[in-house]
Amino acid sequence: GNSVTQMEGPVTLSEEAFLTINCTYTATGYPSLFWYVQYPGEGLQLLLKATKADDKGSNKGFEATYRKETTSFHLEKGSVQVSDSAVYFCALRVLQGAQKLVFGQGTRLTINP
Amino acid sequence: DAGVIQSPRHEVTEMGQEVTLRCKPISGHDYLFWYRQTMMRGLELLIYFNNNVPIDDSGMPEDRFSAKMPNASFSTLKIQPSEPRDSAVYFCASSLGGQSLAPLHFGNGTRLTVT
């Protein structure tokens, strides 16, 4: 089946620190991969995506590279800000069969000034 | 460009009452999803529709839950009768399917409290 495993949280960092949130997946087809972010009191928003191997998705200073050989899509940012505090979800969606989005469990990130 | 619109934003009701949550997807999107989010279980997919037809309702917890999509611009999720364990944030999302595998666009959710 299709599944996503994320690094367990919560993660607490100081402002300007380097961030990595690990994400690995299993999929029966060829998935597209996504990172979503959820700010307090809001719905999920797409942060970035990648649709094929070696693609790099990027947005707002965040990056993630689609690694087919390690089935990973780790989220990174070089210098985090307090405003990056949120819950981050890794997700996949496959073209074959049911086209539902499969989410990881989410990682809560808190950035201290 | 309006996003996915959900109503109400908050709902407080007593156990045993009927609750109806509403969703207006983004115009032109052919997939609609209902998710539930709790601290204990995270994000759970309840049901999704393609072109107004329910495709997978295996996530619907029990017969008390039902969902409809009478047309491309409106969907409802109904709980009857409601129970305290149904308290959660319910999200609606829409997307374009087919070859594009476009991402999902989420509404801001309905926070349901059943007392």
Side-chain angles (χ1 to χ4, degrees):
Chain A
N2 301 321
S3 66
V4 175
T5 302
Q6 275 182 246
M7 166 180 173
E8 284 193 23
V11 174
T12 302
L13 296 172
S14 297
E15 205 165 20
E16 299 183 4
F18 184 86
L19 168 71
T20 300
I21 300 178
N22 289 337
C23 171
T24 57
Y25 68 89
T26 58
T28 53
Y30 198 117
S32 289
L33 303 174
F34 307 89
W35 276 100
Y36 283 80
V37 59
Q38 184 179 29
Y39 298 104
E42 297 184 12
L44 279 71
Q45 303 172 22
L46 177 68
L47 180 60
L48 53 84
K49 67 176 182 177
T51 57
K52 62 182 187 296
D54 300 325
D55 269 2
K56 177 185 283 188
S58 61
N59 186 26
K60 299 181 181 179
F62 290 89
E63 293 183 341
T65 301
Y66 191 143
R67 301 288 188 199
K68 194 162 186 276
E69 64 278 10
T70 55
T71 62
S72 64
F73 193 55
H74 305 321
L75 182 68
E76 297 181 335
K77 186 173 185 181
S79 177
V80 293
Q81 305 301 312
V82 172
S83 58
D84 294 327
S85 299
V87 181
Y88 292 81
F89 293 89
C90 186
L92 68 82
R93 194 176 182 196
V94 294
L95 183 60
Q96 298 81 11
Q99 290 198 20
K100 56 188 178 183
L101 198 64
V102 177
F103 284 98
Q105 70 270 35
T107 302
R108 182 175 298 278
L109 174 66
T110 301
I111 307 299
N112 294 322
Chain B
D1 180 21
V4 175
I5 300 172
Q6 291 187 246
S7 64
R9 191 69 198 273
H10 302 274
E11 177 80 39
V12 180
T13 190
E14 293 184 346
M15 182 173 65
Q17 297 298 306
E18 177 179 296
V19 174
T20 299
L21 312 181
R22 296 173 175 82
C23 175
K24 177 178 169 56
I26 292 173
S27 177
H29 282 188
D30 57 347
Y31 279 80
L32 185 140
F33 303 79
W34 282 101
Y35 283 87
R36 177 171 69 175
Q37 186 178 38
T38 61
M39 290 293 292
M40 291 296 293
R41 296 188 175 186
L43 268 171
E44 302 174 276
L45 176 65
L46 301 177
I47 184 171
Y48 77 96
F49 296 82
N50 178 218
N51 292 322
N52 313 338
V53 176
I55 302 300
D56 184 352
D57 65 354
S58 59
M60 296 286 260
E62 47 197 273
D63 292 344
R64 298 185 296 107
F65 285 68
S66 63
K68 294 182 179 179
M69 193 165 185
N71 57 63
S73 59
F74 184 66
S75 177
T76 60
L77 177 69
K78 186 177 293 187
I79 308 172
Q80 165 63 18
S82 58
E83 296 182 2
R85 59 192 168 124
D86 301 330
S87 297
V89 181
Y90 290 81
F91 289 103
C92 176
S94 70
S95 78
L96 280 171
Q99 298 297 318
S100 66
L101 279 185
L104 272 62
H105 296 261
F106 283 78
N108 282 332
T110 295
R111 180 175 294 277
L112 173 65
T113 303
V114 183
T115 60

